[in-house]
Amino acid sequence: MTTTRRPTRQQSAVIDALGSTQDFTSAQDLHAQLRESGEKVGLATVYRTLSTLADSGDVDVLRTGEGEAVYRKCSTGHHHHLLCRVCGRTVEVEGPTVERWTDAVAAEHGFTDVAHTLEIVGTCSSCH
Amino acid sequence: MTTTRRPTRQQSAVIDALGSTQDFTSAQDLHAQLRESGEKVGLATVYRTLSTLADSGDVDVLRTGEGEAVYRKCSTGHHHHLLCRVCGRTVEVEGPTVERWTDAVAAEHGFTDVAHTLEIVGTCSSCH
DNA sequence: CAGGAGATTGATAATGATTGTCAAAACATG
DNA sequence: CATGTTTTGACAATCATTATCAATCTCCTG
Ligand SMILES: [Zn+2]
Ligand SMILES: [Zn+2]
Ligand SMILES: [Zn+2]
Ligand SMILES: [Zn+2]
């Protein structure tokens, strides 16, 4: 919401494209989709917009096994992802258990200002 | 059948270099270290060796924020890492709590063959 | 020991995602 | 409209990683 950035047609197009899918999508794929749907948006702008959105926490970003950055528009708030390795379907999950555990184990070793990343990958019931 | 290993001087050098540090190290850095210490090992071989070791589970691999792959020789068995964002010190952590939680939440959504990745980053007591 | 099949190496080229450049276009304001 | 600011986008540059492929090394057999 609070954007220091000036809203433009291109940025809206990127955000809409992101919102049109439940899957994590790469900047390259988003750019291809935009071109295909007739939207004229430069690749650099796609990268810039996604990077800004990720920094502000408005989209989640994670790295594919090959190191490619993929983005997804998620619900607000801290959560994690359950990802199907076959079809790419994503489920957001959360809970205090893992949050408490990471905080406890970090404190136990004298670490402060802790953050964590957690991703779960499996095969969903439809793809089993 | 396709898994044929042949021990070589170069692979030993890479493994020794990995074992000489507690930090996660990139292939590029390892290659530079090897050259500096007089070992003649090609960059491609460093990448190949690390990739093989990671596939067999003999080393842990994770991605830096910039997407660079970093490797570390760890104790055997499933565990996670507590990483200092300042000095890079790494502590291996484990525990049944997070394992149970991920399995439970995956089963709850009908996912099978689940695996997970979890990394904790913070500032260690020495760097506070 | 010699020879050959097959595995390994490494210099180099190729790939591919991401970032940098910077002039042109879009925008705001007065 | 004039002017300063922000954003865009085509293109070049970067940089980690992978593909090539001839040369080299290992192991096995006779
Ligand atoms: Zn699925
Ligand atoms: Zn969490
Ligand atoms: Zn530290
Ligand atoms: Zn675990």
Side-chain angles (χ1 to χ4, degrees):
Chain A
M1 285 262 217
T2 55
T3 291
T4 56
R5 208 138 212 251
R6 183 187 292 173
T8 65
R9 186 202 92 241
Q10 291 89 337
Q11 290 172 23
S12 300
V14 172
I15 294 173
D16 288 347
L18 249 192
S20 73
T21 177
Q22 291 279 63
D23 299 340
F24 279 92
T25 315
S26 71
Q28 300 280 351
D29 282 350
L30 277 174
H31 180 243
Q33 287 178 31
L34 288 169
R35 298 216 98 204
E36 201 166 342
S37 69
E39 294 282 353
K40 292 160 294 185
V41 181
L43 180 58
T45 299
V46 176
Y47 273 103
R48 262 188 304 250
T49 304
L50 290 174
S51 184
T52 301
L53 290 171
D55 286 346
S56 65
D58 291 328
V59 306
D60 279 6
V61 55
L62 54 88
R63 295 270 173 184
T64 210
E66 290 76 36
E68 191 178 18
V70 285
Y71 304 82
R72 182 178 188 272
K73 188 166 187 192
C74 287
S75 65
T76 58
H78 176 79
H79 61 268
H80 302 284
H81 301 104
L82 186 52
L83 170 72
C84 176
R85 63 166 62 86
V86 179
C87 67
R89 180 180 315 169
T90 302
V91 180
E92 296 183 20
V93 295
E94 64 178 320
T97 305
V98 66
E99 310 303 322
R100 274 199 293 258
W101 184 81
T102 56
D103 288 348
V105 75
E108 194 176 312
H109 290 85
F111 279 61
T112 53
D113 300 319
V114 291
H116 63 264
T117 63
L118 167 62
E119 303 296 334
I120 313 175
V121 57
T123 307
C124 79
S125 51
S126 306
C127 297
H128 188 63
Chain B
M1 203 130 41
T2 51
T3 38
T4 32
R5 275 212 183 167
R6 195 175 283 181
T8 66
R9 186 202 90 242
Q10 291 89 338
Q11 289 173 19
S12 300
V14 172
I15 294 173
D16 289 347
L18 249 192
S20 73
T21 177
Q22 291 279 64
D23 299 340
F24 277 92
T25 316
S26 71
Q28 300 280 351
D29 283 349
L30 276 174
H31 180 244
Q33 288 178 29
L34 287 169
R35 299 213 95 206
E36 203 167 340
S37 70
E39 295 281 352
K40 292 161 294 186
V41 181
L43 180 58
T45 299
V46 176
Y47 273 104
R48 263 189 304 249
T49 303
L50 290 174
S51 185
T52 302
L53 289 172
D55 285 347
S56 66
D58 291 329
V59 306
D60 280 5
V61 55
L62 54 88
R63 295 268 173 186
T64 213
E66 289 76 36
E68 190 178 18
V70 284
Y71 303 83
R72 182 176 188 272
K73 186 163 185 195
C74 288
S75 65
T76 58
H78 177 80
H79 61 269
H80 303 284
H81 300 103
L82 186 51
L83 170 72
C84 175
R85 63 166 62 85
V86 179
C87 67
R89 180 182 313 170
T90 304
V91 179
E92 297 182 21
V93 295
E94 63 179 320
T97 304
V98 65
E99 310 303 321
R100 275 199 292 260
W101 184 80
T102 55
D103 288 349
V105 74
E108 195 176 312
H109 290 85
F111 279 60
T112 53
D113 301 318
V114 290
H116 63 264
T117 63
L118 167 63
E119 304 296 334
I120 313 175
V121 57
T123 307
C124 79
S125 51
S126 307
C127 296
H128 188 62

